[in-house]
Amino acid sequence: MSRRVVRQSKFRHVFGQAAKADQTYEDIRVSKVTWDSSFCAVNPKFLAIIVEAGGGGAFMVLALTKTGRVDKNHPLVTGHTAPVLDIDWCPHNDNVIASASDDTTVMVWQIPDYTPVRNITEPIITLEGHSKRVGIIAWHPTARNILLSAGGDNVIIIWNVGTGEALLNLDDLHPDVIHSVCWNSNGSLLATTCKDKTLRVIDPRKSQVVAERARPHEGARPLRAVFTADGKLLSTGFSRMSERQLALWDPNNFEEPVALQEMDTSNGVLLPFYDPDSSIVYLCGKGDSSIRYFEITDEAPFVHYLNTFSSKEPQRGMGFMPKRGLDVSKCEIARFYKLHERKCEPIIMTVPRKSDLFQDDLYPDTPGPEPALEADEWVSGQDAEPVLISLRDGYVPPKHRELRVTKRNILDVRPPSGPRRSQSASDAPLSQQHTVETLLEEIKALRERVQAQEQRITALENMLVELVDGTD
């Protein structure tokens, strides 16, 4: 007789638990916009939620520790003239968040560590380049200040937030509305899904599709796709009979899925949240009251159902905490922030262990807040894996770091042709490579000199007035 062998996995017993009532965030008017984004973004310092706002678009930013009832006059981040559709925290600076809106713009905001007294209305920079609503934004995982936006104009723009310029414009790769965009682990490729029912793998710097699969799911509802740690693709979609599906694909052989899981019949689009450290994918359907999770392995059947966390109330949106924001002392392997109609509720996923010691096997080194590349290095063709940190002693977020924007000079000042005269530092051409620090110091010194000259002019004018009055 053949005995059925139970599959060995440290994640066979992952338990989800909703936070206690005093750990939730109450009295938040979550946005009612009909858009399939998560409406929530979280990092080790802050929780951001898109909220209802009259006369424009707004989102709220709360310190993670500010649980309980939220003051109805709590300051908002307001600057968009139409509803905010997507928000995303910068992975390399916990105080910087980007927002995309129906007003065709993307704005990047600096959030202070203290709670501001009034609404934040001035973004660090506004990125204008789309002709229709911008519904998707995603920061580059390893390069500093690189931000992707995708709009209703079927265009993907990749920006350098540090200079405010559009680096790449992918405007002829999608014939219809883009439903989702995801970077791979080192930011060299994109996976996109589109209303034309095609899953594409794109090399953004070459502006070309390197692999594609038409109709990875037969149904008519929108698809979603994310990269796994080893470069495969996880897609969620619908069968012809409107059953929800999860499929695993190898982009080198797009003919047949590596694995296909059918779930239930429902209209809610499944939002996949993938954790590369544990290779678990969590599926959260909008309007569902459950989170299903699966482990992805190298052995058949490749996609293994683990469990389902169920609650009574449906979710309006979901935030997913980066690994460095988890409590390693409680063997927490994932934390979600579930949006209800009027509140946000943390949901904690743990793997129970008897020992109080640090569990190496649950917490491999994970991407930290330091970028591996500068923006111009990535554009020139370099790739680098994320800079990893250990969570052995827990993670302490760094203090407030400011994002500095240095807009490029539109008038490209080239040195004159012919024999060159020697130049002092003050009149060197602007096209020379300055560092941000030296430029700021030079501007400050010039401002001080101008201020001193203005004071001198004012003093001379006063003397002149006194002299004129004396002669009269």
Side-chain angles (χ1 to χ4, degrees):
M1 273 174 64
S2 64
R3 261 186 342 152
R4 185 162 174 246
V5 179
V6 175
R7 187 178 69 90
Q8 286 295 311
S9 169
K10 56 185 174 243
F11 299 116
R12 273 183 53 221
H13 304 289
V14 176
F15 292 100
Q17 188 174 16
K20 293 185 173 68
D22 62 344
Q23 294 301 306
T24 61
Y25 306 82
E26 305 269 356
D27 259 11
I28 299 167
R29 293 190 307 150
V30 177
S31 173
K32 293 186 172 70
V33 174
T34 52
W35 188 253
D36 285 331
S37 76
S38 58
F39 284 4
C40 180
V42 63
N43 70 18
K45 278 187 176 183
F46 298 108
L47 167 68
I49 300 167
I50 302 174
V51 293
E52 286 284 286
F59 60 96
M60 177 184 284
V61 176
L62 298 166
L64 273 192
T65 52
K66 296 280 276 187
T67 53
R69 193 175 295 280
V70 177
D71 183 357
K72 66 176 187 296
N73 297 319
H74 190 283
L76 303 176
V77 182
T78 60
H80 288 289
T81 56
V84 176
L85 301 177
D86 199 11
I87 47 177
D88 195 25
W89 287 104
C90 176
H92 308 127
N93 188 334
D94 287 341
N95 292 81
V96 171
I97 189 169
S99 59
S101 167
D102 217 331
D103 67 7
T104 76
T105 67
V106 174
M107 293 182 178
V108 180
W109 309 84
Q110 183 95 36
I111 306 299
D113 282 337
Y114 58 87
T115 303
V117 180
R118 52 181 64 87
N119 288 352
I120 299 174
T121 56
E122 291 296 321
I124 313 171
I125 196 160
T126 301
L127 305 172
E128 297 173 317
H130 288 283
S131 59
K132 291 186 180 174
R133 65 162 62 175
V134 187
I136 300 166
I137 44 175
W139 290 92
H140 193 285
T142 63
R144 191 196 307 272
N145 291 345
I146 296 247
L147 177 68
L148 171 153
S149 64
D153 49 8
N154 315 340
V155 174
I156 293 174
I157 301 178
I158 295 174
W159 308 86
N160 181 347
V161 172
T163 61
E165 63 185 333
L167 300 173
L168 299 164
N169 206 314
L170 312 179
D171 56 0
D172 55 358
L173 301 181
H174 298 89
D176 214 324
V177 175
I178 300 161
H179 285 150
S180 75
V181 182
C182 173
W183 296 96
N184 67 348
S185 62
N186 68 0
S188 59
L189 295 172
L190 298 172
T192 69
T193 61
C194 178
K195 198 176 178 183
D196 71 347
K197 310 283 185 297
T198 302
L199 170 59
R200 294 175 175 84
V201 179
I202 292 169
D203 184 330
R205 287 168 296 194
K206 292 180 180 169
S207 295
Q208 67 183 41
V209 177
V210 294
E212 65 180 354
R213 174 69 162 84
R215 302 189 80 87
H217 300 274
E218 291 291 329
R221 304 271 300 143
L223 312 171
R224 285 279 185 283
V226 290
F227 275 104
T228 65
D230 60 358
K232 292 190 176 70
L233 282 162
L234 282 164
S235 66
T236 60
F238 295 78
S239 71
R240 192 172 278 139
M241 305 301 289
S242 290
E243 279 187 313
R244 295 196 290 192
Q245 297 176 322
L246 170 69
L248 180 67
W249 302 89
D250 181 351
N252 300 317
N253 179 13
F254 251 151
E255 288 305 307
E256 290 294 323
V258 177
L260 182 68
Q261 282 263 0
E262 298 209 331
M263 280 166 281
D264 58 359
T265 306
S266 173
N267 282 333
V269 173
L270 286 169
L271 304 176
F273 295 96
Y274 175 73
D275 174 16
D277 295 347
S278 59
S279 208
I280 295 176
V281 63
Y282 302 86
L283 303 181
C284 309
K286 278 204 137 181
D288 287 10
S289 54
S290 61
I291 302 171
R292 289 180 183 78
Y293 36 107
F294 299 81
E295 187 178 0
I296 315 300
T297 66
D298 297 332
E299 300 158 6
F302 305 106
V303 175
H304 307 270
Y305 170 74
L306 292 175
N307 209 336
T308 300
F309 167 81
S310 295
S311 54
K312 290 177 183 172
E313 294 184 60
Q315 54 233 17
R316 298 284 294 276
M318 196 69 82
F320 187 48
M321 175 65 83
K323 211 47 166 279
R324 56 197 172 90
L326 303 181
D327 186 345
V328 297
S329 67
K330 294 179 180 167
C331 295
E332 184 182 8
I333 62 160
R335 193 189 312 153
F336 290 91
Y337 286 77
K338 173 181 170 178
L339 299 186
H340 300 246
E341 200 168 323
R342 299 283 302 190
K343 73 173 182 179
C344 176
E345 175 185 47
I347 292 166
I348 295 150
M349 302 284 181
T350 53
V351 177
R353 293 280 168 97
K354 288 179 180 175
S355 169
D356 289 337
L357 299 174
F358 178 73
Q359 306 294 314
D360 294 88
D361 59 330
L362 294 183
Y363 301 105
D365 288 356
T366 195
E370 286 305 313
L373 292 171
E374 296 299 325
D376 50 358
E377 292 174 326
W378 180 78
V379 173
S380 69
Q382 292 185 45
D383 290 318
E385 293 301 319
V387 179
L388 303 180
I389 57 169
S390 169
L391 297 177
R392 178 172 288 278
D393 301 314
Y395 171 76
V396 179
K399 286 278 182 274
H400 181 91
R401 289 193 298 182
E402 202 156 319
L403 170 63
R404 291 204 176 111
V405 175
T406 312
K407 289 203 176 181
R408 292 262 162 90
N409 185 24
I410 298 161
L411 307 167
D412 184 16
V413 183
R414 291 185 175 83
S417 55
R420 291 187 61 180
R421 62 186 178 86
S422 63
Q423 291 168 313
S424 67
S426 61
D427 63 1
L430 290 178
S431 57
Q432 274 188 344
Q433 291 295 308
H434 288 74
T435 65
V436 173
E437 284 75 16
T438 56
L439 276 170
L440 286 167
E441 282 169 13
E442 204 171 311
I443 290 166
K444 187 180 174 187
L446 282 167
R447 280 211 174 110
E448 286 170 355
R449 275 159 56 191
V450 168
Q451 206 173 351
Q453 298 283 13
E454 284 175 345
Q455 287 171 350
R456 177 77 179 142
I457 289 166
T458 305
L460 289 170
E461 282 174 343
N462 290 339
M463 285 171 63
L464 183 62
V465 170
E466 285 172 13
L467 282 169
V468 169
D469 287 349
T471 53
D472 286 350

